[in-house]
C-alpha cells in the first residue's frame, strides 16, 4: 500500500497535461505554474524555486507517510 501511494502521489505533482485537459484553462495547479515560468514568462529562477519547493513538499509528505506506516506496523507487533 505504501508503494502504491508513493507511486500515485509523486507523479501528480509533476503532471502538466492532465489538469489542462480535465480542468480547462481556468484550473491552476503548481505544475502548470512551473511550466509557465519556464516557458512563457522565461523566469527560470522562480520556476526552479517552485519546482524545488514542490519536490521538498512531496519529500516531507512521503517521509511522514512512511514514518506513520512504520509506527503503525510497530504497534501491531
Amino acid at each position: 500500500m505504501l508503494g502504491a501511494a508513493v507511486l500515485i502521489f509523486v507523479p501528480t505533482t509533476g503532471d502538466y497535461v492532465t489538469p489542462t485537459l480535465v480542468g480547462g484553462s481556468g484550473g491552476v495547479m503548481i505544475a502548470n505554474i512551473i511550466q509557465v515560468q519556464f516557458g512563457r514568462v522565461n523566469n527560470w529562477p522562480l520556476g526552479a524555486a517552485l519546482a524545488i519547493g514542490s519536490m521538498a513538499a512531496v519529500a516531507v509528505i512521503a517521509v511522514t507517510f512512511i514514518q506513520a506506516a512504520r509506527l503503525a506496523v510497530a504497534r501491531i507487533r
Side-chain angles (χ1 to χ4, degrees), residues 57-75:
V58 169
V60 167
I61 292 169
V63 167
T64 303
F65 188 72
I66 290 169
Q67 291 298 329
R70 285 183 182 170
L71 286 174
V73 169
R75 287 182 184 164

Side-chain angles (χ1 to χ4, degrees), residues 11-22:
T12 59
T13 61
D15 196 10
Y16 302 105
V17 178
T18 306
T20 303
L21 293 176
V22 174

Side-chain angles (χ1 to χ4, degrees), residues 11-55:
T12 59
T13 61
D15 196 10
Y16 302 105
V17 178
T18 306
T20 303
L21 293 176
V22 174
S25 61
V28 177
M29 302 190 92
I30 189 68
N32 297 64
I33 295 171
I34 293 169
Q35 180 184 21
V36 167
Q37 293 303 316
F38 280 114
R40 288 186 226 153
V41 180
N42 203 22
N43 189 355
W44 285 52
L46 181 58
L50 290 172
I52 295 295
S54 176
M55 288 185 343

